[in-house]
Amino acid sequence: VLDGKLPTAADIEAAAQRLGANIRRTPVFHLTGAELGVEGDVALKLELTQHTGSFKARGALNSIAALPAAPAGVVAASGGNHGAAVAWAAAQAGAAADIFLPATSPASKAERVRSYGATAHVVEGYYPDALLAAQRWIAERSSGGDEILCIHAYDGFDTVCGQGSVGLEIAEQVPAADFVLVGCGGGGLFAGVATALAGRCDVVPVEPRRCANLHAALAAGHPVPVEVGGVAADSLGAAETGAIAYAVAAGSDVEPAMVGDDDILAARLWLWEHCRLLAEPGACAALAAVTAGVVPVRRGETAVVVISGGNHSTLPYPASHERRD
Ligand SMILES: Cc1ncc(COP(=O)(O)O)c(C=O)c1O
């Protein structure tokens, strides 16, 4: 249930101003439809070239920059791109960061968090255990009077506004875009980009079949927990859609798309073989919707596909998507 206000296009403009040159304006890579076997044109928005290797840097930095003064500390529970992004953003702001990771995430993730100067707390168990440890840690410190900022990975107002800055760049870089496809986990990226581009073009959230929390939420009429798994679960495997994303999706007439794990891996391999871009599986779900023909790109249309991150330690060849670290 949404307990705060929904971001507006003006909120996203303000976030983009705030982020300024601290965030990279990532490049757009134009393909002809013929290359992809579709009739229209496709442009890739390369967020895998963003600081920390994913768009998550935007929401993390905006969440800190939106405060009137730098917090004493910044905390996140995440074994993935959000954790690295928060560690990086805190370093940019000169704040200490404590990132709680489940012991089930690969050691390289904790190393990456430490490489930005943050403290990595490795917690026995899975993501919910790390979240609980982070909450306990915050409760202990806050009672001492310290202002500690906990940055939500996808359902925070400032997180969503930061992610929305991707949409503003797309509007400038590909003004002819008819629609934009984004991978959807908890839905922060979708909600931000859809709000930024409202009235200009449609934004289609794409979920893996095995992480389909938005489809489940729309069917139930509210966010519901789902079982997640599959090749993209490390980035798109939020157990439940965010309240903000749910409100944005329910208020739009855009149909979310669904892709299979094989489609995602095939899109990842295509991106590597044909563009020499190595994206992580979750970042290829949106492209998979095009390459698998789930979302048609018709003659005369231009689709923008956000390639959202590149932090993975596996190669894209068949049978090599098991973790190597
Ligand atoms: C590479 C990548 N793409 C997409 C997403 C989905 O973002 P959201 O949870 O805002 O839907 C994530 C989230 O971790 C991610 O790491």
Side-chain angles (χ1 to χ4, degrees), residues 54-56 81 153-154 183-190 235-236 280 282-283 308-309:
S54 87
F55 71 94
K56 293 272 176 180
N81 286 332
Y154 53 82
C184 185
L189 178 63
F190 159 68
S235 52
L236 302 185
E280 60 191 276
S308 48

